[in-house]
Amino acid sequence: MEYYAEKETFRKQTEAVGMARKVKRGDAWFPLRIGKRFYNSMNQLAIEVFRTSDEEIDHNFEFGRPVMFFKMRKPSPEAFVDRKKSQESKSGTSSVSYFNFTGTVSYVDGDKMVITVPDSAPLLDLQSSEVPVGVQLSFDETSYKMMFDALDRVMKARGNRLAYLRDLFYSHQKAQRFTFAPMKFPWLNPTQERAVNEVLWAKDVAVVHGPPGTGKTTTLVEAINETLMRESQVLVCAQSNMAVDWICEKLVDRGINVLRIGNPTRVNDKMLGFTYERKFEAHPDYPQLWAIRKAVRQLRSNRKRGSESYHQKMERLKARATELEIRINSELFGEARVIASTLVGSNSRIMEGQKFGTLFIDEAAQALEAACWIPIKRCTRVIFAGDHCQLPPTVKCIAAQRAGLGKTLMERIVENKPEVVTLLKVQYRMNDEIMRFSSDWFYGGKVESAPQIKYRGILDYDIPMMWIDTAPQQGNPGEPSVSAPQPENPGEPSVSSPLEGKGNVGFRETFVGESFGRINRDEAELTLKTLEDYFGKIGKQRILDEQIDVGIISPYRAQVQYLKQLVRKREFFKPYRSLITVNTVDGFQGQERDVILISLVRANDEGQIGFLNDLRRMNVAITRARMKLIIIGDPSTLCRHPFYRKLYEYVKSLGNS
C-alpha cells in the first residue's frame, strides 16, 4: 500500500506542480547545460549535465535514482489572450514535453551530474535542442520491486536458512550462541567490549544498540575486524549511501580491503578508489575488454546487410567480453574482505551468486523491514547496529504506517529477543547536562558521560542548554516574551532573548505547503540574532582560530531554506559560513557540532505541533551539540505535550541551579 500511495502522490504532483515549484523543492534542474556523452566502465551510455541556475537550492538527486529529461517552451503571446490558456502557461504543465526514455543518476557532485541512459535514447535531440531542457526525478519503482521480491521469497521459504531466520525473528524462540571465552579489547570501554563479544558469540542474530555519541561505529568496525579473523568475507549494508560511505571510510582506515558496490553519494578521494567501478577500470584486463566493447559498437554501426560473417564476429566478441567480465568480477570479489552496499544495492547483478557468513546492517533503525530482507537471503547470520530511539524509517503512507510498516526489523527483534541486545552506555560527544535529559527520557538513565567530556564547554560559567522563549507574555497576546527562564541567582548568566526591547513581534507559524511544511520568519530572525550574540561572547577571532562549528536545525524544510537565505545575506556571518550548517533533523543524523541551535517553528493557539510529536526526531536534534545547545520555541504551544514540558522544565532548572 505504501507503493501505490507514493506512486499516486507522485502522479498528482507531476501533473499539478509547476516546474518552478519542482526546482524550488530540489526535484528538478532547469535549465541545463548538456555536456559530453560517453560509455562508462560498465558499458552504459552516459551523459553529463550541469545546473546553470538556482545553485543555492539543495537538490534531491542521488546515485541510483531514476530521472526524466524534458523541454520547456515559453508560452506564446497569444496564449495570454485566453484566460484559460494563461492559467495553463503559468502552471507550467502545457509548455513541458518529456523525452520518451528514463535515465538513472550515476554520479552527482554539486551542480554536475552524470546520467546513464538506454542505448536507444535520442541524445542528439537532447544535445541539439533549440529550447531549454531540464531534468527531474521520476518515480522510483525499482526499490519497491526488489522489496516485493524479497518479501515474496521470505514468505515462500521452506526448510532453508532463510526460513529459519524468518521464523526466529518473528517469534520468542531463543537465538543460538557460540560458547567460548570472551575476548579482551583494552582500547574499548566495557559495554563496547561486551557488544563485540556478543557479536562473536551470536550464531543467528545480535543487536548493537548505540545511543548518540556512544561510539557505535567504532564498536561495529571492531566487530567486523574480529569477524574477519574467523571468516574470509562479510557483507556490510545500510539504508543510505551516506551511511555506507561512513562505515567504509572507518574500515579503510583500519587497513581492511573494501569493495564498495554502487557509487557513493559523497564521492571523495579516499573512497573513490574502493568503488567497484574504479577497481574494475584499474584491472589489467580492462583495456582489452574496452577494446572489445568498442569493436562491438563499431561492428553494429557498420553492419553490412546480408553479411554472413557479421553474426559470427559478433558472437565471438561477445563471448570474449563475457569471459573477461567474469574473470575481472571474480578477482575483485576474491580480493575484498568487506563487500559494502546499500540494502537495495545488495541486489545488484554484479552480486549474483555471492554468499556470505555474516551480514552487518548499520543504521538498522532507519531501514525498512522489507529492505532488510534483500541482503539477508545471501547470509547465514545478521548483526544489527543502530538506535531505534532516533530517526525512524521514512514511511509516507499513513495507512502503511498504521499497518506496521513504520516498525523496523531491528525493533521487532529488540522486542522479541532482548537477550541479544547490547546497549552502549558511555557517550563521548556531549556535555553531561546536554546528554542527561535524553538519557533519562529515552534510555532509562543508563547512558553516562565519559569523564573527559563531562564538563566540556566553550565559555566559563556558561549554561550548556538554553531555551529562548518566544511565547506571548500574559496580558498581551500579541507580544512575545523577551526572555527565557531567568536564574534566581544574580551571579548566574542570563538567558534573555536577543530581541529584548524590540517590541510587539508576532512569533507565529505560517503554512507554506505539504512539501515544505511550516515557517516562522520572526523565529528565524531571532535564531540568527541569538547566534550573533553568542559569537560576540566567544570572540570572532577565537571562532576562526579554533574552528568552532555550528549547526542550525529546524524540523521544517521551509524554515531551513529561509534560514539558509538569511545566513547568506547577513554580512556578519560571511567569515563563518564554512563553519555553519543549516539542515533538517534528518540531515543532521549521525553528525555533531560544537554549537547547535534548534528552531522549533510551531506557534499557534491550538497547541498543534504536527510531526514534532515524533519524539525520536527530537532526540536526534537535542543530541547533536558537543558544548552548547540553544532551543528557540514557544512553550505555550509546545509544552502541552509532556515531552516538551519536561524538556522546558529541565532547561529551566539548569538556569536556576
Side-chain angles (χ1 to χ4, degrees):
M1 71 184 111
E2 168 79 0
Y3 165 73
Y4 295 109
E6 189 169 352
K7 189 173 183 179
E8 180 63 18
T9 302
F10 180 84
R11 184 189 66 79
K12 290 179 179 178
Q13 288 178 347
T14 300
E15 293 177 355
V17 178
M19 191 52 62
R21 185 71 169 169
K22 292 177 184 177
V23 171
K24 190 176 179 181
R25 283 194 323 202
D27 295 337
W29 284 5
F30 179 82
L32 293 179
R33 179 170 66 83
I34 306 296
K36 65 180 181 180
R37 57 177 177 173
F38 58 94
Y39 281 89
N40 62 18
S41 60
M42 307 304 295
N43 202 31
Q44 299 167 315
L45 181 60
I47 188 167
E48 292 178 336
V49 299
F50 300 87
R51 181 166 59 168
T52 59
S53 64
D54 303 298
E55 291 89 348
E56 74 282 358
I57 296 176
D58 292 333
H59 62 78
N60 300 315
F61 293 91
E62 60 181 17
F63 170 78
R65 300 200 67 173
V67 295
M68 301 182 296
F69 287 94
F70 61 87
K71 301 178 185 177
M72 178 173 285
R73 290 182 172 85
K74 293 182 179 179
S76 61
E78 292 81 7
F80 290 94
V81 176
D82 187 349
R83 184 178 178 183
K84 183 177 179 181
K85 290 182 179 179
S86 177
Q87 290 174 346
E88 290 175 351
S89 298
K90 290 176 182 178
S91 70
T93 56
S94 63
S95 59
V96 176
S97 60
Y98 292 92
F99 289 83
N100 61 349
F101 67 91
T102 300
T104 304
V105 178
S106 175
Y107 169 87
V108 60
D109 184 19
D111 299 319
K112 175 186 176 181
M113 187 157 50
V114 176
I115 299 170
T116 59
V117 299
D119 286 337
S120 58
L123 295 187
L124 187 61
D125 294 345
L126 186 66
Q127 291 175 308
S128 60
S129 176
E130 296 180 355
V131 297
V133 297
V135 65
Q136 72 172 57
L137 290 171
S138 181
F139 181 68
D140 187 5
E141 294 185 296
T142 306
S143 298
Y144 283 107
K145 289 179 179 178
M146 289 183 183
M147 287 189 281
F148 287 148
D149 291 342
L151 290 177
D152 187 59
R153 187 183 303 108
V154 171
M155 289 187 291
K156 292 180 178 178
R158 297 290 185 274
N160 55 15
R161 186 64 181 175
L162 185 62
Y164 172 79
L165 291 177
R166 175 201 63 204
D167 297 339
L168 178 70
F169 291 171
Y170 294 103
S171 70
H172 294 282
Q173 178 185 339
K174 293 289 184 182
Q176 298 184 58
R177 290 160 54 93
F178 293 105
T179 54
F180 52 83
M183 304 284 294
K184 296 295 183 181
F185 305 97
W187 52 93
L188 302 178
N189 68 50
T191 56
Q192 291 174 332
E193 183 178 280
R194 182 186 164 218
V196 174
N197 277 292
E198 289 291 343
V199 169
L200 299 177
W201 288 330
K203 280 188 179 181
D204 304 320
V205 63
V207 176
V208 179
H209 183 188
T214 53
K216 171 180 67 65
T217 301
T218 301
T219 306
L220 193 60
V221 168
E222 195 64 49
I224 292 171
N225 187 62
E226 285 300 315
T227 301
L228 290 173
M229 302 292 184
R230 298 157 174 78
E231 300 176 18
S232 60
Q233 196 174 70
V234 300
L235 177 62
V236 177
C237 293
Q239 176 75 6
S240 67
N241 279 289
M242 185 177 294
V244 177
D245 293 342
W246 179 248
I247 188 71
C248 283
E249 288 183 21
K250 299 301 180 181
L251 291 168
V252 169
D253 290 340
R254 288 293 297 267
I256 298 172
N257 191 344
V258 176
L259 182 62
R260 173 73 162 90
I261 307 299
N263 283 351
T265 302
R266 184 186 54 185
V267 178
N268 54 41
D269 293 338
K270 179 184 289 186
M271 286 309 304
L272 194 60
F274 293 89
T275 60
Y276 179 87
E277 289 81 359
R278 295 296 179 269
K279 286 195 173 187
F280 195 93
E281 291 172 353
H283 195 277
D285 289 340
Y286 179 72
Q288 185 182 357
L289 176 61
W290 179 256
I292 294 172
R293 287 172 172 175
K294 186 177 180 181
V296 169
R297 289 193 291 271
Q298 289 176 344
L299 190 61
R300 283 174 178 164
S301 60
N302 300 326
R303 178 182 178 181
K304 295 180 180 179
R305 292 184 178 180
S307 173
E308 296 181 0
S309 62
Y310 170 80
H311 291 289
Q312 294 177 351
K313 290 181 179 178
M314 183 63 74
E315 289 301 319
R316 284 199 302 270
L317 289 171
K318 284 184 176 180
R320 180 57 178 159
T322 302
E323 181 186 339
L324 286 172
E325 285 183 18
I326 293 173
R327 183 196 301 174
I328 296 173
N329 193 67
S330 176
E331 290 184 11
L332 293 182
F333 276 91
E335 295 169 354
R337 301 299 309 281
V338 172
I339 309 300
S341 73
T342 61
L343 296 168
V344 174
S346 67
N347 202 46
S348 171
R349 65 174 183 85
I350 60 178
M351 294 270 287
E352 196 65 37
Q354 299 293 331
K355 297 291 184 181
F356 306 89
T358 304
L359 164 66
F360 291 87
I361 301 180
D362 194 16
E363 301 296 349
Q366 290 182 262
L368 289 170
E369 185 174 5
C372 288
W373 285 107
I374 298 174
I376 291 176
K377 69 176 182 179
R378 303 185 183 277
C379 305
T380 303
R381 68 181 191 132
V382 189
I383 310 301
F384 297 89
D387 182 11
H388 51 282
C389 299
Q390 294 190 63
L391 282 183
T394 301
V395 180
K396 299 178 181 179
C397 175
I398 296 175
Q401 186 88 33
R402 291 172 178 171
L405 194 60
K407 181 173 285 189
T408 64
L409 187 57
M410 175 178 164
E411 285 182 85
R412 297 189 189 280
I413 293 170
V414 170
E415 290 178 2
N416 294 335
K417 295 174 177 49
E419 70 275 4
V420 305
V421 181
T422 306
L423 176 67
L424 304 181
K425 298 181 180 179
V426 182
Q427 68 90 17
Y428 300 87
R429 174 185 299 167
M430 297 162 276
N431 180 291
D432 188 71
E433 291 183 348
I434 298 176
M435 178 276 302
R436 182 54 46 201
F437 181 83
S438 174
S439 176
D440 292 343
W441 185 277
F442 294 100
Y443 309 104
K446 296 178 180 179
V447 180
E448 301 292 336
S449 301
Q452 61 268 33
I453 58 90
K454 191 171 184 177
Y455 302 106
R456 70 189 315 179
I458 299 175
L459 300 172
D460 294 337
Y461 307 109
D462 197 9
I463 301 176
M465 291 181 71
M466 295 171 52
W467 187 308
I468 305 295
D469 186 346
T470 64
Q473 292 181 338
Q474 289 184 353
N476 191 353
E479 186 176 354
S481 170
V482 295
S483 63
Q486 298 294 313
E488 296 176 357
N489 190 340
E492 294 291 329
S494 171
V495 291
S496 61
S497 164
L499 289 189
E500 186 169 358
K502 186 174 178 178
N504 190 357
V505 184
F507 283 70
R508 283 292 180 262
E509 64 184 69
T510 304
F511 183 69
V512 294
E514 294 181 3
S515 300
F516 289 85
R518 315 249 168 194
I519 188 171
N520 191 325
R521 290 181 174 83
D522 292 309
E523 188 174 290
E525 296 278 357
L526 176 59
T527 301
L528 294 194
K529 184 64 170 63
T530 302
L531 183 59
E532 284 186 31
D533 287 359
Y534 196 65
F535 273 10
K537 292 179 181 179
I538 299 172
K540 299 178 182 180
Q541 194 57 46
R542 183 187 169 193
I543 294 169
L544 297 174
D545 292 343
E546 298 181 14
Q547 292 290 287
I548 297 173
D549 51 0
V550 177
I552 303 176
I553 303 175
S554 181
Y556 294 96
R557 289 178 62 191
Q559 188 80 344
V560 167
Q561 292 197 2
Y562 186 64
L563 284 163
K564 286 181 176 179
Q565 292 174 10
L566 292 179
V567 171
R568 285 194 296 269
K569 291 177 181 178
R570 296 276 178 95
E571 190 67 25
F572 178 89
F573 293 113
K574 189 175 181 179
Y576 316 114
R577 284 173 188 166
S578 62
L579 300 172
I580 300 173
T581 305
V582 186
N583 215 330
T584 60
V585 179
D586 296 54
F588 267 98
Q589 173 73 4
Q591 300 187 43
E592 58 187 71
R593 297 292 188 273
D594 293 323
V595 181
I596 290 289
L597 295 93
I598 306 173
S599 173
L600 294 175
V601 176
R602 301 309 299 263
N604 55 74
D605 297 329
E606 295 77 25
Q608 297 179 355
I609 61 174
F611 62 75
L612 289 184
N613 279 298
D614 189 345
L615 304 183
R616 291 176 293 181
R617 279 189 160 79
M618 283 309 303
N619 187 30
V620 173
I622 65 176
T623 56
R624 300 304 98 189
R626 301 187 190 101
M627 292 178 278
K628 183 73 172 183
L629 173 63
I630 303 174
I631 301 170
I632 300 96
D634 180 358
S636 67
T637 300
L638 297 162
C639 290
R640 301 184 196 188
H641 191 291
F643 172 84
Y644 295 97
R645 184 170 61 253
K646 285 288 186 183
L647 178 60
Y648 182 80
E649 291 171 354
Y650 174 76
V651 177
K652 184 178 179 179
S653 71
L654 297 179
N656 290 334
S657 60

